[in-house]
């Protein structure tokens, strides 16, 4: 069974993502509510890495002018154990496509998340 980590500072969005993903298939789902907490989760799970990580971009402001989510992606990349982990940005930031391309990850704008079919990208990973 695939393991997914959802990182977003909005409890409502985390719950929404969980429900949408559960409609797709059975996954082991873990959550974090900040980029820093996300790093702590990947460290704790280093021996059994997540298969997929979904992350928001705009969370804690500690990393400005860099998005917290982009900082988080860079941290993930420092762990060899996460080389095969798929990362998906799910964010409302207007430059989501540029951020995704710059970091070589997938993306799903939050405004498209109202169409639950968009979550199929996760099942395909």
């Amino acid at each position: 069974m695939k393991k997914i980590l959802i990182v977003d500072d909005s409890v409502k969005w985390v719950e929404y993502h969980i429900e949408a993903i559960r409609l797709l298939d059975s996954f082991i789902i873990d959550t974090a509510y900040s980029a820093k907490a996300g790093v702590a989760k990947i460290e704790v799970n280093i021996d059994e890495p997540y298969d997929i990580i979904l992350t928001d971009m705009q969370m804690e402001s500690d990393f400005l002018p860099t998005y917290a989510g982009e900082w988080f992606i860079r941290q993930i990349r420092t762990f060899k154990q996460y080389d095969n982990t798929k990362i998906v940005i799910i964010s409302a930031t207007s430059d989501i496509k540029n951020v995704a391309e710059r970091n070589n990850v997938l993306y799903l704008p939050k405004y498209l998340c109202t169409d639950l079919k968009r979550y199929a990208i996760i099942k395909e990973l």
Side-chain angles (χ1 to χ4, degrees):
M1 187 176 302
K2 288 187 178 181
K3 286 177 56 176
I4 296 178
L5 174 62
I6 301 169
V7 182
D8 196 313
D9 60 333
S10 167
V11 173
K12 289 185 179 194
W13 270 111
V14 169
E15 291 172 357
Y16 186 85
H17 297 320
I18 289 170
E19 292 307 313
I21 291 167
R22 285 194 174 141
L23 292 173
L24 295 173
D25 207 342
S26 294
F27 294 97
I28 297 169
I29 301 173
D30 202 358
T31 60
Y33 295 94
S34 70
K36 290 178 184 176
V39 170
K41 292 278 185 164
I42 65 170
E43 290 174 338
V44 168
N45 288 276
I46 201 77
D47 293 329
E48 293 182 34
Y50 295 101
D51 299 294
I52 302 166
I53 298 175
L54 309 180
T55 184
D56 187 19
M57 285 288 100
Q58 299 168 306
M59 296 180 281
E60 64 264 55
S61 60
D62 301 11
F63 311 102
L64 291 174
T66 301
Y67 291 119
E70 192 165 13
W71 174 86
F72 177 52
I73 292 168
R74 290 178 186 156
Q75 300 312 300
I76 296 167
R77 301 274 198 236
T78 66
F79 295 91
K80 184 176 176 32
Q81 296 86 339
Y82 284 89
D83 285 351
N84 296 319
T85 298
K86 304 297 183 196
I87 301 171
V88 181
I89 297 171
I90 300 182
S91 180
T93 184
S94 61
D95 60 344
I96 187 171
K97 181 178 179 184
N98 294 331
V99 174
E101 288 174 353
R102 183 169 54 241
N103 290 282
N104 195 29
V105 298
L106 300 170
Y107 69 96
L108 176 61
K110 277 189 177 175
Y111 73 88
L112 294 178
C113 290
T114 56
D115 179 0
L116 295 179
K117 293 176 189 170
R118 298 290 185 154
Y119 284 88
I121 188 174
I122 295 162
K123 188 173 182 177
E124 296 168 7
L125 298 176

